[in-house]
Amino acid sequence: MLIRKPDWVVHQTDKASKRSCIYSIHVHPDGSRIATGGLDTRVRIWNVEPILDPSRAEDDNCHKLLCTMSIHNGAVLCVRWSGDETGRFHGWQAMDSFSRRVYRNAQASAAFGTTDVNHEVWRGVKYLRGHDSDVQDLAWSSDDSMLASCGVDGHIVVWDGKSFERLKKITGHDGFVKGITWDPVGKYLATQSDDQSLKIWRTSDWNLEASVEEPFTLAPATTLFRRLSWSPDGARIVAANAVKSEATIAAIVDRDEWKTDVSLVGHDMPIECTAFNPQLFYFLRKDNDQTPIASDAEHGELGLLVALGSQDRSISIWNNQFARPLCVATDLFDNNIYDISWGPDGRWLVACSQDGTIAFLQFEDEIKEPAGREELEKSLSKYGIQRKGAVLVENVEQLAMEEKARTSSGNRVAQLMGETKPAASANGVNHKAINGSNISTSMDVDSDSVSAPPINSIPNGQTKEAAAPTKERQTVTITKDGKKRVTPLFVRSLSGAPAPPPPTNVTHQTPSNQSNASLGTNVRSTIEEYDDAVTKLPASGIPTKAAGNKRKESDTNEELRLERHRNKVYDDALTGPKWIRSMVIPPIIEKSQIRLGVPKIKASLSRHNPNSPQFYSHARLTHMSADEATKLKCFRGGQEIWTNYLQYAVIFISISLNFIAVSCEDGSLHIYTPHGRRILPPIALEAPASYIVSSDRHLLVITMVGLVYTWDVTLEEAVVHGVSLAPVLQLATYSEEVGRTSSIVDAVLTPEGSPVILTEHGDSFLYHAKMKTWTKICDPWHITSEFYSLHTIRQADKETTLSSVMRRSQSAVSAFAGSSFRGSTASKFLHQDKQMVAFLTLDHIEAQLATARILNSAEDYLRWSKSYAQRLADSSDETKAEEFCAFLLGPVFRSTTGWSPWVVNGLHKHAVLEQILPLLSKNRNLQHLVSEYFACLKQLQGTT
C-alpha cells in the first residue's frame, strides 16, 4: 500500500491563516478530480493527476487547484458528485446549497474573496430549501434520478434528480440524522441517526421497511457524522458508530432479514465514516488464516472491500468474508477522519480529516484486477424490482421466435451504434422550390437603382455546419439624381430550410388603441413581420386572438365608435411610410371570431430556391401616376426570365416545383408557372392570407379570419375548403372577451394535401379529410412518455411526415417549456404517481399508431407497431396483445366482408403481425397467445 499526503490540498483563506477543517471529500466518477468541502465555507475541486504522479505537481502546466467556489455563509459538510461518467451535477450541503457544473472556461480567473485562480468555472444553479437546520449528509441514487439529504432537524428530504423539485419529506427519526445511503437496486433508502437506530425506507411508498437498533443502543453521540454505505451488490449495509460488548465496531446489516450478525472489530474509538469499494475483487484463503490474500478469478472467490474511518485517526480495509482486515493505516492524521471516497477502479481511495489534510491510499499488492461488470450485475439481478418467476418454454416455435427477436435486436443495436446517414428532407413536409428560381417583392422609386444579389440559405436535410449562410449586408446604390439608397435587409419567408436559432420578435408601432404582441416562431425556419393583435380592429399576428362562443349584443354607440376607429386605421395604413406600413384591414375582420396576423407591407420580400442559389427573382412597388403597382420579376443567374405587374402590394410568396403562388394585400391569390404563365385567374379570398405554403402540387392558405384552404393546383381541385381553426385554438375554453390564444408556429402539408398545424405549446393538429375534423397528432401531455423523444431524435434514412412533425413539436415544447401547461402538469403528476409513465407511454404509442394510419405512412406504422408490441410484452398485457394480433390477422374465412388486408398502402397486416410476434414472444407468459397466432398466420400464408 502506497500512502501520500499532498500538502497543497488545503482549505484556508490565505497562506498566513491556519488550515481549516475538511469535512467531506468525494472522487469524480471518471477519477480525474476530487471535491472537498470545509469549515472555510468553500468548495474546492482538485486535480488527481499530480496526486497519482507527484512529479507532475512541479509542472506549471499541470494545475493542482482547478476551482474554488465561495457562495456559502456556513461550513460545507458534504460534497457529492452525481454518478454518471460526466459528473455534470455536483452537490454540496451548507445551508441546503447544491451546484451544477455548467461550463468550463479555458481562461483562468480569480475566485471571489480569495487569491485562488479558477482554471475551471462552475456555477450554482439551484438552492434546495427543505430542511429547518444544518444538513449533514447527501446521496445520489444509483441512476441519478433522485437526490436525498438528511440533517440535524431529524428529517430526510428526497429531491428529483433532474428538476430538483422536492418529492418527499420523511419524518421518522427522533434525533439528528447524520448519514444516508441508497440501495443500488433502487428499492430502499437507509438512514442512520443519533436516536440510536438505522432505518430502511421503501422507495415505492416512502414508508418504513425496518428499523435496526441492537448494535447502536450503546453508541456514543460524540461523532459528527454517521456515514453509512450500501454494498455495490446490494446485499448488505455497513453502518458507522456501533458498539458491541463495549467495543466500537462497524455493523454489517444483511439485506435478507435486516440482521446484524457480522461486525468489523478493531478500532479503538468510534467510527465516523464507511465506504464500500465500487468494485468486486477475488481473494484466496490459506488454511485457517483469517487474512484475505489477493487472487484471480481462477483460484479465488469474489469478495467486497469496505473502508472504515475512525476517531482513532486510522483507516482499515476489510473483506466481508474474513475476520481480519486486509490492511490498516494508522496515525494518518492528527484528528478525526470525517469522510472516505474510493476511486472508480477501486484501487485507490482518499480520506479527509478534522486537521485540514487529506490522505491518498493506493493499493498495489493487496488487491488485483477487479472482477467484470457482469459479476456485479449478476449479484444485483436477484434483488431486481418486481422480478417475475421463471417461465419454461413449452414449444419449439417459442424458442425459434426468441432467437429471431435476439437477432433482430442485435442488428438494431448495431445500426444505432454505427454511422447514421443525414436525415433526408421531410416526406410530405413540403418546403420545395422551383428549379433555380426565387421570387421577391419590394417598393422603390427608381428601377435602375435596384441591386438584388441572391440570398444564401441552408438546403433541406443539411446541418448549419454543412451549409452556413453568409452574412447579409445592406446594399447602397446611387440613383440617377445622385441620391443614395439603402436596400433593407430581406426577412425570409416562413417556408424553407430547417429551423435556425429563434429569431428576435419584431413589433411595430400601431394606432394608439392597439396593443403589441410578439410572434412566437421559435421552431420555424424564417419569419415575417406581423401586425400586432388588437381587441376590436385586429391586425393580430400569428400569435392569435379569439373571442369565445358567446358574445354580447353591441349597442349603437359602440358601432359608431368602431366605425370611426376603422376609418382611422385605414387612413393611417394608406398614408404611412412607403417602405414599411401596416396593411389595410378589411371590415370582415371586425366580426370574425378568429383573428390572425398578416405580414407588414415591406420594402423587400425575397424568395429563392435553396437548391439553386443562382436562380432568384426580384419585385418592387413602383409609382404609376397617383397609384402604386408591384413589379414582379424572376431572374436566373442575373438574367431576367419574366416580369409582371400586380395592382396591390405582395405580402406572401411561395415557390414549389410546379408553380409560384403570390398573395396580395387585397386578399387575391395569383398562381403562375415557373416561367410566368398564369395557371388560374386570381383567386378571391374572404380576407388576406396570414400564411401560405406549397408542395409539389398542393397549396395551403391560412387567411386572416382563421380559415384554412388547400388545393391540388395540378388537378385544380379543393382538398380542404374553408375549414376553421377554432378547434385548433380551443375557443371553447375562452370567455366572451377577445384574448390571446396559442400562437401558430408552423403549417405543413402531407403528401395527400392535408394541412398540419403546429402551435407554440407543442400541439400538432392534422385535418382528417375523410372524417372532416381536426385530430391532434402530437400532444405535450405525452411528454412523460418513454417514447416521446426516442423516435423524433433518432435519424433515419428517410424522414417521414409524422417523425418530422413530432420533431418540430418537441422543439416547440422545449422552446416554450414555461407556457406548456399540459406538459408541466403531466410532469407534476409523474412525481405523485410513478405508474403514470407506463400508462401515458402506452397511450402515446396507440395515438401514434392511429396517426400513422391516417397519414398512410407504412414506415411509421411498422415502427410504432414494434414499439407497441415491445411495450405489451414488457407489461404482460395479454388482453391488448390479443386484440392487436386479431386486428392484424383478420378473419380466418375470407368470405367475411368489410375487412381489408392492407393497414396502409403498401403494408400488409400479416407482414406487421409477422414482425411483432417475435417481440411478444420475449415474454413467456404470452407464449400461448403467440403460438396460436403464429400457427394461424402460417396456415393463412400457406393458403394464399
Short mmCIF file of all heavy atoms in Angstrom, two decimals, residues 358-395:
data_model
loop_
_atom_site.label_atom_id
_atom_site.label_comp_id
_atom_site.label_asym_id
_atom_site.label_seq_id
_atom_site.Cartn_x
_atom_site.Cartn_y
_atom_site.Cartn_z
N ILE A 358 -5.70 15.81 3.72
CA ILE A 358 -6.27 14.61 3.10
C ILE A 358 -5.16 13.58 2.94
O ILE A 358 -3.96 13.91 2.95
CB ILE A 358 -6.92 14.91 1.74
CG1 ILE A 358 -5.84 15.19 0.68
CG2 ILE A 358 -7.90 16.06 1.83
CD1 ILE A 358 -6.38 15.14 -0.75
N ALA A 359 -5.54 12.33 2.78
CA ALA A 359 -4.60 11.23 2.57
C ALA A 359 -5.03 10.45 1.34
O ALA A 359 -6.23 10.27 1.09
CB ALA A 359 -4.53 10.32 3.78
N PHE A 360 -4.03 9.99 0.58
CA PHE A 360 -4.25 9.20 -0.63
C PHE A 360 -3.65 7.82 -0.40
O PHE A 360 -2.46 7.70 -0.09
CB PHE A 360 -3.60 9.89 -1.83
CG PHE A 360 -3.59 9.07 -3.09
CD1 PHE A 360 -4.70 9.02 -3.90
CD2 PHE A 360 -2.47 8.34 -3.45
CE1 PHE A 360 -4.69 8.28 -5.08
CE2 PHE A 360 -2.45 7.59 -4.61
CZ PHE A 360 -3.57 7.56 -5.43
N LEU A 361 -4.46 6.77 -0.52
CA LEU A 361 -4.00 5.40 -0.32
C LEU A 361 -4.16 4.63 -1.62
O LEU A 361 -5.27 4.53 -2.15
CB LEU A 361 -4.80 4.70 0.79
CG LEU A 361 -4.47 5.03 2.25
CD1 LEU A 361 -4.83 6.47 2.59
CD2 LEU A 361 -5.19 4.07 3.19
N GLN A 362 -3.05 4.10 -2.13
CA GLN A 362 -3.07 3.34 -3.38
C GLN A 362 -2.65 1.91 -3.08
O GLN A 362 -1.63 1.65 -2.43
CB GLN A 362 -2.11 3.96 -4.40
CG GLN A 362 -2.20 3.32 -5.79
CD GLN A 362 -1.40 4.09 -6.82
OE1 GLN A 362 -0.66 5.01 -6.48
NE2 GLN A 362 -1.54 3.74 -8.09
N PHE A 363 -3.44 0.94 -3.56
CA PHE A 363 -3.22 -0.46 -3.25
C PHE A 363 -2.58 -1.14 -4.46
O PHE A 363 -3.08 -1.05 -5.58
CB PHE A 363 -4.55 -1.14 -2.90
CG PHE A 363 -5.27 -0.46 -1.77
CD1 PHE A 363 -6.27 0.46 -2.03
CD2 PHE A 363 -4.93 -0.73 -0.45
CE1 PHE A 363 -6.94 1.10 -1.00
CE2 PHE A 363 -5.59 -0.08 0.58
CZ PHE A 363 -6.60 0.82 0.32
N GLU A 364 -1.47 -1.83 -4.17
CA GLU A 364 -0.71 -2.47 -5.24
C GLU A 364 -0.77 -3.99 -5.12
O GLU A 364 -1.39 -4.67 -5.93
CB GLU A 364 0.74 -1.97 -5.21
CG GLU A 364 0.85 -0.46 -5.45
CD GLU A 364 2.27 0.05 -5.31
OE1 GLU A 364 3.09 -0.65 -4.69
OE2 GLU A 364 2.56 1.16 -5.81
N ASP A 365 -0.12 -4.55 -4.10
CA ASP A 365 -0.11 -6.00 -3.93
C ASP A 365 -1.32 -6.50 -3.14
O ASP A 365 -1.58 -7.71 -3.13
CB ASP A 365 1.17 -6.43 -3.20
CG ASP A 365 2.42 -6.05 -3.98
OD1 ASP A 365 2.32 -6.00 -5.23
OD2 ASP A 365 3.46 -5.80 -3.36
N GLU A 366 -2.03 -5.61 -2.47
CA GLU A 366 -3.14 -6.04 -1.61
C GLU A 366 -4.34 -6.54 -2.42
O GLU A 366 -5.08 -7.41 -1.96
CB GLU A 366 -3.59 -4.88 -0.72
CG GLU A 366 -2.58 -4.46 0.34
CD GLU A 366 -1.50 -3.55 -0.23
OE1 GLU A 366 -1.60 -3.20 -1.43
OE2 GLU A 366 -0.59 -3.20 0.53
N ILE A 367 -4.54 -6.00 -3.62
CA ILE A 367 -5.65 -6.43 -4.48
C ILE A 367 -5.14 -6.53 -5.91
O ILE A 367 -4.14 -5.93 -6.28
CB ILE A 367 -6.85 -5.46 -4.42
CG1 ILE A 367 -6.41 -4.04 -4.78
CG2 ILE A 367 -7.50 -5.49 -3.06
CD1 ILE A 367 -7.54 -3.05 -4.80
N LYS A 368 -5.86 -7.33 -6.72
CA LYS A 368 -5.53 -7.46 -8.13
C LYS A 368 -6.63 -6.80 -8.97
O LYS A 368 -7.39 -5.99 -8.46
CB LYS A 368 -5.37 -8.93 -8.49
CG LYS A 368 -4.14 -9.57 -7.81
CD LYS A 368 -3.88 -10.97 -8.33
CE LYS A 368 -2.61 -11.55 -7.71
NZ LYS A 368 -2.33 -12.91 -8.21
N GLU A 369 -6.69 -7.17 -10.23
CA GLU A 369 -7.67 -6.54 -11.10
C GLU A 369 -9.09 -6.86 -10.64
O GLU A 369 -9.37 -7.98 -10.21
CB GLU A 369 -7.48 -7.01 -12.55
CG GLU A 369 -6.20 -6.52 -13.19
CD GLU A 369 -6.14 -5.00 -13.27
OE1 GLU A 369 -7.20 -4.38 -13.54
OE2 GLU A 369 -5.06 -4.45 -13.04
N PRO A 370 -10.00 -5.91 -10.72
CA PRO A 370 -11.38 -6.16 -10.28
C PRO A 370 -12.10 -7.11 -11.21
O PRO A 370 -11.72 -7.30 -12.37
CB PRO A 370 -12.01 -4.77 -10.30
CG PRO A 370 -11.21 -4.00 -11.31
CD PRO A 370 -9.80 -4.53 -11.19
N ALA A 371 -13.15 -7.74 -10.68
CA ALA A 371 -13.98 -8.61 -11.49
C ALA A 371 -14.77 -7.77 -12.50
O ALA A 371 -14.91 -6.55 -12.34
CB ALA A 371 -14.93 -9.40 -10.60
N GLY A 372 -15.27 -8.39 -13.51
CA GLY A 372 -16.01 -7.67 -14.55
C GLY A 372 -17.36 -7.17 -14.06
O GLY A 372 -17.88 -7.59 -13.03
N ARG A 373 -17.92 -6.28 -14.84
CA ARG A 373 -19.22 -5.73 -14.51
C ARG A 373 -20.30 -6.80 -14.52
O ARG A 373 -21.31 -6.70 -13.82
CB ARG A 373 -19.57 -4.63 -15.53
CG ARG A 373 -20.90 -3.94 -15.31
CD ARG A 373 -20.90 -3.10 -14.07
NE ARG A 373 -22.22 -2.55 -13.78
CZ ARG A 373 -22.50 -1.84 -12.71
NH1 ARG A 373 -21.56 -1.59 -11.81
NH2 ARG A 373 -23.72 -1.38 -12.50
N GLU A 374 -20.07 -7.87 -15.27
CA GLU A 374 -21.07 -8.93 -15.35
C GLU A 374 -21.32 -9.58 -13.99
O GLU A 374 -22.45 -9.92 -13.65
CB GLU A 374 -20.63 -9.99 -16.37
CG GLU A 374 -20.47 -9.48 -17.79
CD GLU A 374 -19.17 -8.74 -18.01
OE1 GLU A 374 -18.30 -8.82 -17.10
OE2 GLU A 374 -19.00 -8.08 -19.04
N GLU A 375 -20.24 -9.76 -13.23
CA GLU A 375 -20.39 -10.37 -11.91
C GLU A 375 -21.22 -9.49 -10.98
O GLU A 375 -22.05 -10.00 -10.21
CB GLU A 375 -19.00 -10.63 -11.29
CG GLU A 375 -18.15 -11.62 -12.05
CD GLU A 375 -18.73 -13.04 -12.00
OE1 GLU A 375 -19.54 -13.31 -11.09
OE2 GLU A 375 -18.38 -13.84 -12.87
N LEU A 376 -21.02 -8.20 -11.07
CA LEU A 376 -21.78 -7.29 -10.22
C LEU A 376 -23.25 -7.28 -10.63
O LEU A 376 -24.15 -7.31 -9.78
CB LEU A 376 -21.19 -5.88 -10.32
CG LEU A 376 -21.73 -4.85 -9.33
CD1 LEU A 376 -21.54 -5.29 -7.90
CD2 LEU A 376 -21.06 -3.50 -9.57
N GLU A 377 -23.50 -7.28 -11.92
CA GLU A 377 -24.88 -7.29 -12.38
C GLU A 377 -25.57 -8.61 -12.03
O GLU A 377 -26.77 -8.64 -11.76
CB GLU A 377 -24.93 -7.05 -13.89
CG GLU A 377 -24.52 -5.64 -14.30
CD GLU A 377 -24.50 -5.45 -15.79
OE1 GLU A 377 -24.64 -6.46 -16.51
OE2 GLU A 377 -24.34 -4.30 -16.24
N LYS A 378 -24.81 -9.70 -12.03
CA LYS A 378 -25.37 -10.98 -11.64
C LYS A 378 -25.80 -10.96 -10.18
O LYS A 378 -26.85 -11.50 -9.81
CB LYS A 378 -24.34 -12.09 -11.88
CG LYS A 378 -24.88 -13.50 -11.68
CD LYS A 378 -23.77 -14.52 -11.79
CE LYS A 378 -23.09 -14.46 -13.16
NZ LYS A 378 -22.04 -15.49 -13.28
N SER A 379 -25.00 -10.31 -9.34
CA SER A 379 -25.34 -10.23 -7.92
C SER A 379 -26.57 -9.34 -7.71
O SER A 379 -27.41 -9.62 -6.85
CB SER A 379 -24.16 -9.66 -7.13
OG SER A 379 -23.02 -10.49 -7.28
N LEU A 380 -26.67 -8.28 -8.51
CA LEU A 380 -27.79 -7.37 -8.35
C LEU A 380 -29.10 -7.94 -8.90
O LEU A 380 -30.19 -7.54 -8.47
CB LEU A 380 -27.50 -6.04 -9.05
CG LEU A 380 -26.45 -5.13 -8.41
CD1 LEU A 380 -26.11 -3.97 -9.33
CD2 LEU A 380 -26.95 -4.59 -7.08
N SER A 381 -28.99 -8.86 -9.86
CA SER A 381 -30.18 -9.35 -10.53
C SER A 381 -31.14 -10.06 -9.58
O SER A 381 -32.35 -10.02 -9.78
CB SER A 381 -29.78 -10.29 -11.68
OG SER A 381 -29.12 -11.44 -11.16
N LYS A 382 -30.62 -10.67 -8.54
CA LYS A 382 -31.52 -11.39 -7.63
C LYS A 382 -32.31 -10.47 -6.73
O LYS A 382 -33.23 -10.91 -6.04
CB LYS A 382 -30.72 -12.37 -6.77
CG LYS A 382 -29.60 -11.75 -5.97
CD LYS A 382 -28.82 -12.84 -5.26
CE LYS A 382 -27.62 -12.26 -4.52
NZ LYS A 382 -26.83 -13.32 -3.87
N TYR A 383 -31.98 -9.18 -6.74
CA TYR A 383 -32.76 -8.21 -5.98
C TYR A 383 -33.58 -7.31 -6.90
O TYR A 383 -34.02 -6.24 -6.48
CB TYR A 383 -31.84 -7.33 -5.13
CG TYR A 383 -30.99 -8.11 -4.16
CD1 TYR A 383 -29.60 -8.12 -4.28
CD2 TYR A 383 -31.56 -8.83 -3.13
CE1 TYR A 383 -28.81 -8.84 -3.41
CE2 TYR A 383 -30.78 -9.55 -2.24
CZ TYR A 383 -29.40 -9.55 -2.38
OH TYR A 383 -28.63 -10.26 -1.51
N GLY A 384 -33.76 -7.75 -8.14
CA GLY A 384 -34.48 -6.92 -9.12
C GLY A 384 -35.89 -6.59 -8.67
O GLY A 384 -36.58 -7.39 -8.03
N ILE A 385 -36.35 -5.40 -9.03
CA ILE A 385 -37.68 -4.94 -8.64
C ILE A 385 -38.74 -5.68 -9.44
O ILE A 385 -38.65 -5.79 -10.66
CB ILE A 385 -37.83 -3.43 -8.87
CG1 ILE A 385 -36.79 -2.68 -8.04
CG2 ILE A 385 -39.23 -2.95 -8.53
CD1 ILE A 385 -36.79 -1.20 -8.28
N GLN A 386 -39.74 -6.22 -8.75
CA GLN A 386 -40.87 -6.91 -9.37
C GLN A 386 -40.40 -7.96 -10.36
O GLN A 386 -40.87 -8.06 -11.48
CB GLN A 386 -41.79 -5.91 -10.07
CG GLN A 386 -42.39 -4.88 -9.14
CD GLN A 386 -43.25 -3.89 -9.86
OE1 GLN A 386 -43.29 -3.87 -11.08
NE2 GLN A 386 -43.97 -3.06 -9.12
N ARG A 387 -39.45 -8.74 -9.92
CA ARG A 387 -38.90 -9.78 -10.79
C ARG A 387 -39.90 -10.92 -10.92
O ARG A 387 -40.36 -11.48 -9.93
CB ARG A 387 -37.59 -10.29 -10.21
CG ARG A 387 -36.91 -11.36 -11.07
CD ARG A 387 -35.54 -11.69 -10.51
NE ARG A 387 -34.87 -12.71 -11.29
CZ ARG A 387 -34.93 -14.01 -11.01
NH1 ARG A 387 -35.62 -14.41 -9.98
NH2 ARG A 387 -34.29 -14.88 -11.75
N LYS A 388 -40.26 -11.25 -12.13
CA LYS A 388 -41.21 -12.33 -12.38
C LYS A 388 -40.52 -13.68 -12.27
O LYS A 388 -39.33 -13.81 -12.53
CB LYS A 388 -41.84 -12.19 -13.77
CG LYS A 388 -42.63 -10.89 -13.95
CD LYS A 388 -43.21 -10.85 -15.33
CE LYS A 388 -44.08 -9.62 -15.50
NZ LYS A 388 -43.31 -8.38 -15.41
N GLY A 389 -41.30 -14.68 -11.92
CA GLY A 389 -40.75 -16.02 -11.83
C GLY A 389 -40.40 -16.56 -13.20
O GLY A 389 -40.93 -16.14 -14.22
N ALA A 390 -39.50 -17.52 -13.23
CA ALA A 390 -39.06 -18.10 -14.50
C ALA A 390 -40.20 -18.86 -15.15
O ALA A 390 -40.94 -19.59 -14.49
CB ALA A 390 -37.87 -19.02 -14.26
N VAL A 391 -40.36 -18.69 -16.44
CA VAL A 391 -41.39 -19.38 -17.21
C VAL A 391 -40.70 -20.28 -18.20
O VAL A 391 -39.81 -19.86 -18.94
CB VAL A 391 -42.30 -18.37 -17.94
CG1 VAL A 391 -43.38 -19.10 -18.72
CG2 VAL A 391 -42.92 -17.40 -16.94
N LEU A 392 -41.09 -21.54 -18.22
CA LEU A 392 -40.45 -22.51 -19.08
C LEU A 392 -40.99 -22.44 -20.50
O LEU A 392 -42.16 -22.08 -20.73
CB LEU A 392 -40.66 -23.93 -18.53
CG LEU A 392 -40.09 -24.19 -17.13
CD1 LEU A 392 -40.41 -25.62 -16.70
CD2 LEU A 392 -38.59 -23.95 -17.10
N VAL A 393 -40.15 -22.78 -21.45
CA VAL A 393 -40.56 -22.83 -22.84
C VAL A 393 -41.38 -24.08 -23.08
O VAL A 393 -41.02 -25.17 -22.64
CB VAL A 393 -39.32 -22.82 -23.77
CG1 VAL A 393 -39.74 -22.90 -25.22
CG2 VAL A 393 -38.49 -21.58 -23.52
N GLU A 394 -42.52 -23.90 -23.79
CA GLU A 394 -43.42 -25.03 -23.99
C GLU A 394 -43.39 -25.60 -25.39
O GLU A 394 -43.94 -26.67 -25.62
CB GLU A 394 -44.85 -24.60 -23.64
CG GLU A 394 -45.01 -24.16 -22.20
CD GLU A 394 -46.45 -23.76 -21.89
OE1 GLU A 394 -47.29 -23.88 -22.81
OE2 GLU A 394 -46.73 -23.36 -20.75
N ASN A 395 -42.79 -24.90 -26.36
CA ASN A 395 -42.77 -25.43 -27.72
C ASN A 395 -41.55 -24.90 -28.45
O ASN A 395 -40.88 -23.96 -28.02
CB ASN A 395 -44.06 -25.07 -28.47
CG ASN A 395 -44.38 -23.60 -28.38
OD1 ASN A 395 -43.59 -22.75 -28.78
ND2 ASN A 395 -45.56 -23.28 -27.82
#
